Amino acid sequence: MTTSSTTLNYTNVRDIWYTMIGIPGLEESHIWISIPICSMYIVAIAGNALLLFLIITERSLHEPMYLFLSMLALADIFLSTVTTPKMLAIFWFQAAGISFASCVSQMFFLHFIFVAESAILLAMAFDRYVAICYPLRYTTILTPSVIIKMGIAAVIRSFFICFPLIFLVYRLTYCGKSIIRHSYCEHMGIARLACDSIKVNIYYGMIVALFSICLDAVLIIVSYALILCAVFRIPSRDARLKALGTCGSHVCVILLFYTPAFFSFFAHRFGGHSIPLHVHILLANLYVVVPPSVNPIIYGVRTKQIQERIIQMFSLGKSFC
């Protein structure tokens, strides 16, 4: 009788509190794991904030490529901030408790930013395609109004794709499972704690992955295939290398974003028990801090205009001192 009443009490989602255990099997190493994660989070916030500041304040960087880069930097700040502070609270203070509503909010913003960032990377691939294949029409095709519309479209698409996830987890019946074997809340992690069938959640998750992330990745590959065809038709070797060099930073960022995402996706569905759970969770934790921390470094190292602006800013700072 007691068990039955407990089960019924837990069906009210307002009463549900979860306990996130961080990285299962590595609880004793949480403090050590938190050091690189915290360091990368600081670098991600500082690096992307600096990138945004440079692009906003420097008129020479008000070009389509850098406007898209500012969108990416903003998405990276949000992606790491949605997950990392709570993750560090678990590692440092054992603050593992989270309410159902807070967990669902974190889930929504995590998936929302992820899908939006994928769309931004696709827009950046289109930018490189236009710049190399139609250089004379570049500024007429990618006008500021077109770039703003592309950014708004990325946000709206992401919202309509991810908003149903909230209803999909709220419609489920929960009956007492309260342990999340993860460091943050994501869709299937919440759904698996329900007592009833989660087939709709599984199917919708697959559809979202196929028709947003996978579709974006395919379109990016097509864009770069067309770019390579155009580049190899350029007679001058130096011009070919320069054209490829302008794409280098973007390709590195794309690989950083999609490689761990697809690894995690396929490992969860087809890896079975061959890959330990703590490996999955550790990679998922690193995924939300590594790309955001590395992206501004990649663009800072490989983009001459950003390099020059950073050197100029620090030299001015030294002269004031």
Side-chain angles (χ1 to χ4, degrees):
M1 194 69 182
T2 305
T3 305
S4 177
S5 63
T6 303
T7 300
L8 290 173
N9 287 340
Y10 273 99
T11 58
N12 187 347
V13 294
R14 289 176 297 180
D15 298 332
I16 298 175
W17 275 78
Y18 292 131
T19 300
M20 292 190 286
I21 61 174
I23 304 174
L26 296 179
E27 288 87 352
E28 298 297 322
S29 305
H30 276 176
I31 292 294
W32 296 108
I33 293 169
S34 71
I35 295 171
I37 288 177
C38 181
S39 302
M40 285 185 283
Y41 177 60
I42 293 169
V43 171
I45 297 300
N48 285 292
L50 176 62
L51 209 54
L52 277 170
F53 175 77
L54 292 177
I55 293 169
I56 291 168
T57 57
E58 181 58 45
R59 289 187 62 84
S60 65
L61 298 180
H62 292 179
E63 297 176 8
M65 173 178 148
Y66 300 108
L67 294 176
F68 287 125
L69 180 55
S70 67
M71 295 180 196
L72 181 67
L74 193 61
D76 279 339
I77 289 172
F78 287 138
L79 180 64
S80 56
T81 301
V82 162
T83 53
T84 311
K86 180 61 178 177
M87 192 190 304
L88 294 175
I90 296 168
F91 293 162
W92 290 343
F93 312 114
Q94 290 75 52
I98 187 169
S99 68
F100 182 84
S102 298
C103 197
V104 172
S105 297
Q106 188 185 56
M107 172 207 76
F108 169 74
F109 285 110
L110 173 67
H111 293 298
F112 170 77
I113 296 164
F114 183 83
V115 175
E117 187 159 338
S118 178
I120 292 167
L121 289 174
L122 175 59
M124 293 174 78
F126 178 70
D127 166 76
R128 291 300 84 204
Y129 166 73
V130 175
I132 291 172
C133 298
Y134 301 98
L136 299 179
R137 296 172 57 194
Y138 180 62
T139 53
T140 56
I141 293 174
L142 288 172
T143 61
S145 64
V146 169
I147 294 166
I148 291 168
K149 287 174 185 175
M150 290 172 75
I152 293 171
V155 170
I156 292 173
R157 184 192 79 150
S158 182
F159 178 82
F160 280 109
I161 286 172
C162 297
F163 193 66
L165 296 175
I166 297 174
F167 296 100
L168 287 175
V169 294
Y170 263 97
R171 73 179 181 86
L172 297 171
T173 303
Y174 300 89
C175 54
K177 298 176 186 175
S178 60
I179 303 296
I180 297 179
R181 297 169 65 80
H182 209 311
S183 307
Y184 53 81
C185 299
E186 46 88 27
H187 173 225
M188 289 310 300
I190 299 174
R192 287 195 178 99
L193 298 176
C195 305
D196 42 10
S197 173
I198 60 169
K199 284 184 179 179
V200 175
N201 299 71
I202 293 171
Y203 293 148
Y204 189 77
M206 292 286 287
I207 290 167
V208 166
L210 288 172
F211 290 98
S212 59
I213 308 301
C214 292
L215 181 61
D216 290 348
V218 169
L219 291 174
I220 288 171
I221 291 169
V222 171
S223 297
Y224 273 95
L226 294 172
I227 287 169
L228 286 174
C229 290
V231 166
F232 287 120
R233 285 199 295 267
I234 298 173
S236 169
R237 182 174 178 274
D238 290 339
R240 284 200 302 270
L241 292 174
K242 185 179 178 181
L244 290 172
T246 62
C247 300
S249 303
H250 187 226
V251 170
C252 292
V253 169
I254 287 169
L255 292 174
L256 269 174
F257 182 82
Y258 286 108
T259 303
F262 283 124
F263 172 81
S264 179
F265 177 81
F266 288 114
H268 270 297
R269 283 155 183 80
F270 308 112
H273 298 288
S274 58
I275 301 173
L277 179 62
H278 68 268
V279 175
H280 282 291
I281 306 304
L282 185 59
L283 287 174
N285 289 358
L286 291 174
Y287 179 68
V288 295
V289 288
V290 172
S293 63
V294 174
N295 288 351
I297 296 172
I298 290 173
Y299 278 101
V301 169
R302 295 185 63 90
T303 308
K304 187 178 178 182
Q305 293 94 322
I306 293 175
Q307 275 183 16
E308 290 173 350
R309 186 71 183 94
I310 291 172
I311 292 167
Q312 183 184 359
M313 189 173 68
F314 279 105
S315 62
L316 281 172
K318 286 180 181 179
S319 64
F320 281 121
C321 294

